[in-house]
Amino acid sequence: MEFSSKLLEKAVNEMSQLPGIGKRTALRLVLHLLKQPKEQTTFLSQALTNMREEVQFCESCHNISDAAICDICSNAKRDRQIICVVEDIRDVMAIENTGQFRGIYHVLGGKISPIDGVGPSQLNINSLVDKVKLGEVKEIIFALSSTMEGDTTNFYIFRQIQDFDVVTTTIARGISVGDELEYADEVTLGRSILQRVPFEKSFKNN
Amino acid sequence: MEFSSKLLEKAVNEMSQLPGIGKRTALRLVLHLLKQPKEQTTFLSQALTNMREEVQFCESCHNISDAAICDICSNAKRDRQIICVVEDIRDVMAIENTGQFRGIYHVLGGKISPIDGVGPSQLNINSLVDKVKLGEVKEIIFALSSTMEGDTTNFYIFRQIQDFDVVTTTIARGISVGDELEYADEVTLGRSILQRVPFEKSFKNN
């Protein structure tokens, strides 16, 4: 791609560093900004810079936060004895959206994945184990995706906390609400039969 | 979407103003920046701001430029008597990439499209007509996309310059090089038969 402007070229190059944004898409986005009032570009740049410079990670759960302790961890109404272990802050947002969980979270920041060079030491695992060792936790809920890496991470943590007085659970796997049975994959369908629940419990909270 | 950080929320909101970037994609991009060194965000923000503040449009052809007159217009080797009319600077880049055109360009900045509220006065049409009136132009090549709006724009310009001593042409429409005939749409195939070229000319410049 040959550019008629070095300024344009630099903007496109930086924009195309973002994942999933190729040079053509970057050019389209940058040309869009050129057609908009200057303020839009200023606001975007400032929002990104401010966020990158000032955002913090909660010292307790490692969720993204504007303060040293996030809103969820500092909320007196949340049950500190139940910790939901998730991979990413997007998972926190997804679970919060359901309005069904009143405990707190622990954000690992990824999954153990030797292929990608991610070992346990790069994840926020030790701080979770420390919480359990302090004896203040009643239940740990694993809410990682059920992939090879997710299962590995679950087991790695489980082995470090199994000797302590803590209940470990995982979120239920099964057929999505509204899904047709015939299109479900067999592993999910198999599990949903093995882990069937009493009928009178099945419409609770729905 | 509920965010645990106002800074994050603002960054995602600004990012999702870009065309084709929804809230989820914006969140993915912003979280990616958070995992990268701070410099990447700084470079991106600066590149966008610098571009928006400092980029210029060539006074002659309206192409994006770092100077008052762009590199193509100020290049003594280009033929100023042949002007290729395009919609967008991306079209200039595409034609430049072919290496087949030695004239100069005129970037309209869009097409006449009443539905989108774009009339002739919002496009760089007058400056093109002025160039023709000065009598310095030998040929105008229309290289707009062959849509209703493109054709309308071509005709609008054509009617204003037809009384002057200038040749008007359009780029050839036909079957793409390498395409199978059976998959071509019939309008294109029909035109490519009506506007057939002498065989000995067909492999020139290829």
Side-chain angles (χ1 to χ4, degrees), chain A residues 4-6 36 52 64 66, chain B residues 4-5 36 52 64 66:
Chain A
S4 56
S5 154
K6 292 266 171 245
Q36 301 300 312
R52 190 63 187 85
I64 286 179
D66 291 340
Chain B
S4 57
S5 155
Q36 302 299 312
R52 190 63 187 84
I64 286 179
D66 291 340

Side-chain angles (χ1 to χ4, degrees), chain B residues 27-198:
Chain B
L27 179 61
R28 188 167 56 79
L29 298 178
V30 166
L31 290 179
H32 171 83
L33 284 175
L34 267 184
K35 285 186 185 167
Q36 302 299 312
K38 284 188 183 179
E39 291 73 44
Q40 188 174 334
T41 307
T42 316
F43 288 157
L44 172 62
S45 301
Q46 277 177 355
L48 290 178
T49 312
N50 288 349
M51 184 233 20
R52 190 63 187 84
E53 296 287 336
E54 289 166 35
V55 100
Q56 300 177 56
F57 292 90
C58 172
E59 286 169 13
S60 174
C61 73
H62 310 284
N63 191 10
I64 286 179
S65 167
D66 291 340
I69 299 289
C70 76
D71 288 347
I72 296 173
C73 286
S74 60
N75 184 340
K77 288 185 186 155
R78 308 290 296 229
D79 185 348
R80 260 163 206 70
Q81 297 191 301
I82 305 174
I83 298 182
C84 182
V85 179
V86 295
E87 187 189 331
D88 191 88
I89 80 133
R90 276 176 286 185
D91 304 323
V92 174
M93 289 167 70
I95 296 174
E96 283 298 287
N97 272 342
T98 70
Q100 299 291 340
F101 182 61
R102 304 309 298 162
I104 59 174
Y105 296 91
H106 190 91
V107 181
L108 295 177
K111 289 173 291 195
I112 296 173
S113 172
I115 289 179
D116 302 317
V118 181
S121 60
Q122 280 137 288
L123 303 176
N124 303 315
I125 291 180
N126 289 340
S127 52
L128 176 64
V129 175
D130 287 346
K131 280 185 204 167
V132 173
K133 283 182 184 167
L134 285 172
E136 290 164 0
V137 184
K138 223 165 53 186
E139 180 178 358
I140 296 282
I141 306 172
F142 290 119
L144 304 193
S145 50
S146 62
T147 58
M148 173 95 87
E149 290 82 14
D151 290 344
T152 306
T153 313
N154 287 344
F155 271 108
Y156 180 88
I157 299 174
F158 177 70
R159 286 179 54 170
Q160 296 199 49
I161 61 175
Q162 61 181 340
D163 295 333
F164 295 93
D165 184 24
V166 63
V167 176
T168 46
T169 58
T170 72
I171 53 169
R173 309 287 176 184
I175 309 298
S176 293
V177 178
D179 261 15
E180 302 274 359
L181 238 64
E182 53 178 323
Y183 300 119
D185 70 287
E186 48 197 69
V187 178
T188 305
L189 186 53
R191 276 211 210 179
S192 78
I193 288 171
L194 287 175
Q195 300 170 353
R196 59 198 178 276
V197 293

Side-chain angles (χ1 to χ4, degrees), chain A residues 3-15:
Chain A
F3 292 89
S4 56
S5 154
K6 292 266 171 245
L7 292 162
L8 179 71
E9 182 170 13
K10 214 172 163 190
V12 169
N13 283 343
E14 288 295 333
M15 198 65 129

